Amino acid sequence: MDSQALIFTSDGVDLPGSDISVISSDGKIFRVHKNNLACASITFADMLDVGGSMPGSGPEVKLVEPATVLARMLPFAYPRIISPYSIDFIADFHIAQALFKYQVQN
């Protein structure tokens, strides 16, 4: 997979070959890969393992985090594509909370 093509924005993302849609609290859709989520996060792995999907979701997963947080958290499931970004302590705090909540490891 060409890492240059993987761009996460707060408008969402549609990755080639994606098999699950993660929907932010503000309705933005991030079409990503289950395997990447499961490998990066034991929490996602456990949620995806129970019946093959998260509760009430099927191929869609609704999370309580806004798109601005998911756009910065989800690239941790694709470790080779994390790009440098400016420091925003308030946003980084919310991203750190989400990384901790979903036990995302890089």
Side-chain angles (χ1 to χ4, degrees):
M1 185 176 301
D2 180 13
S3 63
Q4 298 299 322
L6 304 179
I7 300 171
F8 290 77
T9 70
S10 58
D11 290 328
V13 70
D14 188 0
L15 299 180
S18 61
D19 55 3
I20 191 166
S21 295
V22 177
I23 303 173
S24 66
S25 62
D26 46 355
K28 303 296 181 180
I29 300 171
F30 295 83
R31 291 182 177 90
V32 294
H33 304 95
K34 287 181 187 180
N35 286 341
N36 286 69
L37 290 180
C39 288
S41 163
I42 192 160
T43 301
F44 280 120
D46 288 346
M47 290 191 294
L48 293 167
D49 189 43
V50 177
S53 64
M54 295 185 194
S57 64
E60 294 184 349
V61 177
K62 294 180 182 177
L63 299 180
V64 299
E65 289 75 21
T68 54
V69 171
L70 296 182
R72 303 247 326 254
M73 180 188 77
L74 290 173
F76 282 90
Y78 300 84
R80 293 186 295 151
I81 67 154
I82 296 175
S83 61
Y85 50 82
S86 62
I87 295 174
D88 177 344
F89 290 107
I90 300 300
D92 289 345
F93 174 74
H94 294 294
I95 293 159
Q97 281 183 314
L99 290 169
F100 180 77
K101 175 181 177 180
Y102 296 106
Q103 300 177 21
V104 177
Q105 301 174 8
N106 186 348

